[in-house]
Amino acid sequence: MESDERILVPVGHDATRWRTFGGERTVVVAARTVTSLVRVVDVVPEILHDDPRIAVVFAYDPTSAFNDGVLDLLRSLGCRTLPWPQLAEITPDLLISASENIKVPPGRYPVLVLPHGVGFQKQVPDSAGPGTRLSGLVHDELLAARRAWLAVSHPDQESQLAAAHPGTVGRTVLVGDPCLDRLRASVRWRERYRAALGVLPGQRLVLVSSTWGEESLVGSWPGLPAELLAQLPTDEYRVALVLHPNIWSGHGAWQVRVMQHSALEAGLIAVDPTDGWQQALVASDLVIGDHGSVTLYGAALGRPVLLGAFGSEAVPGTAGYALRSAAARLEAGRPLPPQVEAAVAGHRADRFDEVGAAAFAEPGEALPRLRELVYELLGLERPKQPGRGPRTFPLPAPDTTRARSLMVRTAVVRDTGGELHLEVSRFPAALAGEAAEDETTFWHLACDVDEPDTRLTESATVVSSASEVLPTEAARRRVASVLSDFPGARIAALPGEDGCAVGTRDGRLVQVRAVDGPSPDPGSAAAAVYGCLRLGVPLGATAVVLVHGARRQRLLLRPVPPPGDQPAVSRARTSAARGLPPSS
């Protein structure tokens, strides 16, 4: 018969027989929700690094409604984990948690509770009954036993907690906010984050942030990401969505993706709930949020903020609540682009300074203060080597999401010198509404060859491919092949040796290259050719100015004769170089 006795490595009564590192102290990290676990694992390595005297194990508490994903995260990090009931079988020297709603076994060891957001800003459902409780406030028994220590980011939070529960008096420690310190340290990597997220130069990144609950932004306005993508031109804007981990845990990643399916197909950047929101926030040009912590962090970083929702669960008198009046509202039912543009253009970097000052104190000091506190609670002298400063967040995994099909609006303008300007705005076809045309405004549907939706590919006027660059005659054959595969299309475009190769169904091939700057993408090159065809402009050494929002680029369209007509090619090149129209 097998023994019921369990061997707990590196802790437990018999652990010394099995472990490699001796350790003078044991720290247990409570793992209850993804949100709280991420906060602790961000901090603990920065405090206890390189110290062989301290053994760290994780105790999994499955009692939360939002426990889904916790074990997966622990496994991915390689954490030594024990079930919560086994915590009673060992005697740790310190328990660290970013979840206040834990039932700690009786004992004498202290419990350090870190905030998993900004302060104590919300009333949340109480799992012990039908009412609500103040988020961040620990259970009465821990306070009564004088075992709990609550880390706070601002002195006002000490007063708030004292008013909410007298047992917190003398049990709070002002440390600052380690997450904000890292965000500020990461600002110097802003452009690197933007590049990793696929934000091109000249584009703006709109970050939609939502806490959890029915009064949250995504709870009250779930279609906002899709509405933004439908109304903001893809060449000028990217949209990212940061959802509280409790949403992913409570409803499941599958459900979240189904609810945002059209937005994801339209190029929405869905930020990983366990890693990446900090980089996206630093990279953003505008935050559209609610009463959640990410919105407040955005304000503290000096980002423009619009409120798409603000729940009644926000606690009056807190810094987070002050955003209710400090930030402007995003109004549903009104066009979104003017509201977005006004928020960015009219923003002052110091607009939310008072809000930030009321939420965060001791900037840059969170890690040194936490390090000092933890070693004091463990009864150990701090290592002689200095602690580390706030570290930049690592580069996120490259984002390759994009809309495969676009509705393209081309507005034709001629300047005073008669030069042709094509103002091109592209919108995700999956979200497009009615398209009205007139004498100077045209619409067409452009699809990528990888578009899986046959409803779109069968209606496409333009089909493009971002395949490898091909020599001219190979490009001609590839264009013909694409048009054969998409019999309803009139134009096919792909990268060429010098610019883009754009072919028409009647067999013409046009080279589109930039006179200045980088080569246009195939879709832009096709839009230039399509505009000329609609206007009846000959496709012979034609120069046009392509306008994407604030970006302008002069393009030269040059016909590529079939093989055997090289003299005509030479004449066309010579005429184009001299700025002359081609000979007839």
Side-chain angles (χ1 to χ4, degrees):
M1 181 177 178
E2 292 186 4
S3 172
D4 290 335
E5 185 176 339
R6 289 159 290 193
I7 300 173
L8 304 178
V9 181
V11 296
H13 72 278
D14 201 29
T16 55
R17 297 179 59 204
W18 309 99
R19 67 191 182 195
T20 298
F21 308 120
E24 300 175 29
R25 300 289 190 275
T26 299
V27 172
V28 171
V29 173
R32 188 168 186 270
T33 66
V34 169
T35 310
S36 59
L37 178 58
V38 166
R39 276 304 179 98
V40 179
V41 297
D42 271 350
V43 170
V44 169
E46 304 303 310
I47 296 173
L48 302 180
H49 62 88
D50 302 316
D51 195 336
R53 299 174 298 171
I54 301 173
V56 180
V57 294
F58 293 73
Y60 171 54
D61 178 359
T63 60
S64 172
F66 303 115
N67 62 14
D68 186 60
V70 174
L71 283 177
D72 291 336
L73 181 56
L74 288 167
R75 292 189 185 103
S76 71
L77 294 172
C79 299
R80 188 67 172 98
T81 305
L82 56 99
W84 192 259
Q86 290 186 25
L87 180 59
E89 301 176 21
I90 65 174
T91 306
D93 299 285
L94 174 65
L95 186 142
I96 302 178
S97 173
S99 174
E100 73 283 1
N101 197 23
I102 53 174
K103 295 286 188 180
V104 182
R108 299 175 62 91
Y109 55 89
V111 177
L112 174 59
V113 181
L114 307 177
H116 60 259
V118 181
F120 310 88
Q121 315 279 346
K122 291 174 60 177
Q123 292 286 340
V124 296
D126 189 347
S127 59
T132 61
R133 61 178 178 81
L134 180 64
S135 178
L137 185 60
V138 300
H139 288 294
D140 288 349
E141 53 266 31
L142 268 181
L143 293 172
R146 309 300 282 175
R147 295 175 63 193
W149 293 93
L150 282 71
V152 298
S153 64
H154 194 279
D156 288 351
Q157 295 167 12
E158 297 177 325
S159 304
Q160 178 194 1
L161 288 174
H165 196 301
T168 63
V169 176
R171 309 306 296 178
T172 57
V173 183
L174 176 62
V175 299
D177 191 294
C179 182
L180 181 64
D181 289 347
R182 289 194 70 184
L183 287 168
R184 287 173 170 164
S186 299
V187 169
R188 63 189 177 91
W189 280 16
R190 172 177 161 81
E191 293 305 321
R192 300 179 68 183
Y193 296 149
R194 290 170 67 85
L197 290 168
V199 181
L200 300 176
Q203 284 183 318
R204 288 173 174 167
L205 176 61
V206 176
L207 180 72
V208 179
S209 170
S210 178
T211 187
W212 64 280
E214 293 184 352
E215 295 186 6
S216 68
L217 177 53
V218 77
S220 59
W221 196 349
L224 176 60
E227 290 182 41
L228 287 165
L229 288 160
Q231 297 183 42
L232 297 174
T234 59
D235 293 292
E236 301 172 45
Y237 289 92
R238 293 297 307 274
V239 178
L241 178 63
V242 172
L243 297 178
H244 194 288
N246 285 0
I247 300 174
W248 295 90
S249 179
H251 295 276
W254 183 89
Q255 177 72 72
V256 171
R257 293 191 182 98
V258 167
M259 292 187 68
Q260 297 295 332
H261 181 74
S262 295
L264 290 168
E265 285 197 336
L268 177 69
I269 303 170
V271 179
D272 189 316
T274 64
D275 180 37
W277 70 263
Q278 302 96 332
Q279 297 93 320
L281 182 62
V282 171
S284 69
D285 296 285
L286 171 69
V287 177
I288 300 177
D290 53 19
H291 51 291
S293 293
V294 175
T295 311
L296 187 51
Y297 280 125
L301 285 180
R303 297 291 181 268
V305 172
L306 286 174
L307 295 176
F310 206 88
S312 61
E313 60 199 12
V315 177
T318 62
Y321 194 86
L323 270 182
R324 186 183 188 120
S325 56
R329 291 277 183 157
L330 184 71
E331 296 184 30
R334 288 181 51 206
L336 299 177
Q339 299 184 70
V340 168
E341 292 165 7
V344 174
H347 180 65
R348 301 188 324 274
D350 62 349
R351 176 168 182 172
F352 302 114
D353 281 0
E354 289 186 9
V355 173
F360 307 104
E362 308 300 331
E365 294 297 317
L367 286 180
R369 286 171 175 256
L370 279 171
R371 184 176 170 87
E372 180 179 1
L373 174 61
V374 166
Y375 276 94
E376 181 180 338
L377 293 175
L378 288 173
L380 286 176
E381 290 187 7
R382 280 176 290 168
K384 293 181 179 179
Q385 67 265 33
R388 302 196 293 191
R391 302 172 70 81
T392 54
F393 289 101
L395 292 178
D399 185 272
T400 58
T401 57
R402 59 188 177 90
R404 291 191 174 95
S405 295
L406 300 168
M407 285 300 299
V408 184
R409 181 181 65 202
T410 304
V412 181
V413 178
R414 287 193 183 272
D415 64 14
T416 54
E419 189 172 45
L420 185 63
H421 288 230
L422 301 177
E423 297 178 351
V424 174
S425 301
R426 299 187 283 191
F427 304 88
L431 303 172
E434 295 294 325
E437 292 195 351
D438 57 36
E439 293 181 354
T440 60
T441 303
F442 314 128
W443 287 87
H444 70 269
L445 171 59
C447 287
D448 190 274
V449 292
D450 294 329
E451 172 59 65
D453 189 343
T454 56
R455 176 185 64 88
L456 295 173
T457 57
E458 290 173 358
S459 303
T461 299
V462 171
V463 178
S464 62
S465 171
S467 62
E468 72 279 3
V469 175
L470 298 174
T472 300
E473 291 312 310
R476 189 190 300 277
R477 292 190 295 272
R478 174 61 176 153
V479 162
S481 174
V482 169
L483 290 173
S484 175
D485 290 339
F486 297 87
R490 296 175 56 192
I491 296 172
L494 58 149
E497 286 182 306
D498 185 13
C500 291
V502 181
T504 61
R505 185 158 292 280
D506 59 10
R508 286 178 287 175
L509 186 68
V510 180
Q511 179 195 65
V512 181
R513 66 178 181 86
V515 177
D516 50 14
S519 179
D521 65 87
S524 293
V529 172
Y530 179 81
C532 289
L533 290 174
R534 288 294 300 264
L535 290 170
V537 175
L539 298 178
T542 301
V544 301
V545 176
L546 195 70
V547 181
H548 283 307
R551 291 184 290 135
R552 296 169 179 265
Q553 188 172 40
R554 182 171 280 100
L555 303 179
L556 182 64
L557 282 59
R558 183 183 65 82
V560 182
D565 194 12
Q566 294 307 312
V569 174
S570 299
R571 288 196 300 271
R573 283 178 177 166
T574 303
S575 299
R578 294 175 179 173
L580 300 174
S583 59
S584 58

